[in-house]
Amino acid sequence: MTMDRRRLLGAIGVGAGGLLLSGCDKLNQSAGFQGLLHRAEGLTMRAQRIVTDRNALAPEFGAADLSPVFRANGTRMPASPQYAAHAANRFVDWRLAVDGLVQRPLSLSLAQIGQMPIRTQITRHDCVEGWSAIGKWHGVPLKLLLDQAGLRSQARYIVFHCADDYSAGRYYESIDLIDALHPQTILAWGLNDHLLPVANGAPLRLRVERQLGYKHAKYVERIEAVESLASIRGGKGGYWEDGHNYEWYAGI
Ligand SMILES: Nc1nc2c(c(=O)[nH]1)N[C@H]1C(S)=C(S)[C@@H](COP(=O)(O)O)O[C@H]1N2
Ligand SMILES: [Mo]
């Protein structure tokens, strides 16, 4: 289905503006369709599983579709002195921790992560605030990091702990293993053929292409495998979920 849509869009040669108005997106955004979806009590993941294939790929685009500027949203520069010191030092002493329900907890430098296999993908980012942008991301598939750490059998969710303080504490997000192991779910260290700018989450940010913008945690410094989200912070799996009633599963 993804391939058919991509071939169709390629064949009719629409540019970035046209892509934003392609048929599926119109359907997703139409009030009637949204209303239909939300009428079902407790939609989100269960119903999403029935109406869409969660393993399907998000559309990928071509170089001609790239947004001239990939805007930044939310935190643009984490406020902590530790972060400022890492940024000033080009993140050479920065480490990513991978821990929780894993057999081999990891502490990886950016150089080590950069030496792992690279996936590059041009995808569209959709923010609930009503803007979209197409960017080219470079990073390591999350699955490879999790394979290296060895998930324990009880692990059900992956939590991303970020370096930036939002009003109620550090930003954080979480996804289930279907998204964590999805081939387009990457920890990106590059954007548009450059290292990731600070404003877009340097040195490492999540791309989870089947979900909305707020799920794409920036400034990730710790990845934790857990059995349940109940004991993490507010218990709803993310900064916006805990404090502002955003959906935990924000499928697009
Ligand atoms: N750590 C962290 N991650 C975050 C945010 C943030 O403020 N802090 N904002 C989220 C939101 S709402 C969006 S739309 C995207 C914005 O990514 P960008 O700055 O690269 O556009 O990051 C998401 N991840
Ligand atoms: Mo957003």
Side-chain angles (χ1 to χ4, degrees), residues 82-125:
Q82 293 91 323
Y83 182 87
H86 280 309
N89 208 11
R90 292 167 168 251
F91 300 102
V92 291
D93 298 324
W94 172 95
R95 293 289 181 279
L96 171 74
V98 182
D99 59 22
L101 294 173
V102 298
Q103 270 139 15
R104 298 170 291 277
L106 308 175
S107 171
L108 299 171
S109 70
L110 198 53
Q112 286 174 309
I113 293 168
Q115 278 154 15
M116 295 181 73
I118 301 170
R119 182 179 166 93
T120 289
Q121 58 199 31
I122 300 180
T123 53
R124 197 187 68 199
H125 178 101

Side-chain angles (χ1 to χ4, degrees), residues 73-74 125-131 171 212-216 240 246:
N73 200 40
H125 178 101
D126 296 307
C127 172
V128 283
E129 289 169 26
W131 58 274
Y171 198 98
L212 288 170
Y214 63 90
K215 300 295 291 187
H216 299 232
W240 293 104
Y246 280 31

Side-chain angles (χ1 to χ4, degrees), residues 125-126 158 160 162 171-176 179 205-218 220 229 236-241 246-251:
H125 178 101
D126 296 307
I158 305 298
F160 302 87
C162 305
Y171 198 98
Y172 84 105
E173 260 304 339
S174 61
I175 58 177
D176 65 13
D179 272 330
R205 67 96 53 85
L206 175 66
R207 295 298 310 168
V208 49
E209 305 291 356
R210 303 291 312 280
Q211 296 204 50
L212 288 170
Y214 63 90
K215 300 295 291 187
H216 299 232
K218 306 196 288 187
V220 173
L229 298 172
K236 292 183 181 166
Y239 169 81
W240 293 104
E241 291 89 328
Y246 280 31
E247 304 252 21
W248 174 76
Y249 187 75

Side-chain angles (χ1 to χ4, degrees), residues 115-179:
Q115 278 154 15
M116 295 181 73
I118 301 170
R119 182 179 166 93
T120 289
Q121 58 199 31
I122 300 180
T123 53
R124 197 187 68 199
H125 178 101
D126 296 307
C127 172
V128 283
E129 289 169 26
W131 58 274
S132 300
I134 294 179
K136 182 183 189 183
W137 302 98
H138 319 272
V140 59
L142 176 61
K143 179 182 190 298
L144 296 184
L145 280 180
L146 297 177
D147 285 349
Q148 196 172 319
L151 284 179
R152 293 188 183 276
S153 60
Q154 313 96 294
R156 290 291 179 273
Y157 302 94
I158 305 298
V159 183
F160 302 87
H161 299 277
C162 305
D164 57 319
D165 260 312
Y166 237 69
S167 55
R170 297 292 180 93
Y171 198 98
Y172 84 105
E173 260 304 339
S174 61
I175 58 177
D176 65 13
L177 292 188
I178 298 179
D179 272 330

Side-chain angles (χ1 to χ4, degrees), residues 16 24 57 66 68 72 78 80 101 112 135 165 185 236 242 247:
C24 284
L57 296 176
L66 287 170
S80 79
L101 294 173
Q112 286 174 309
D165 260 312
T185 298
K236 292 183 181 166
D242 281 344
E247 304 252 21

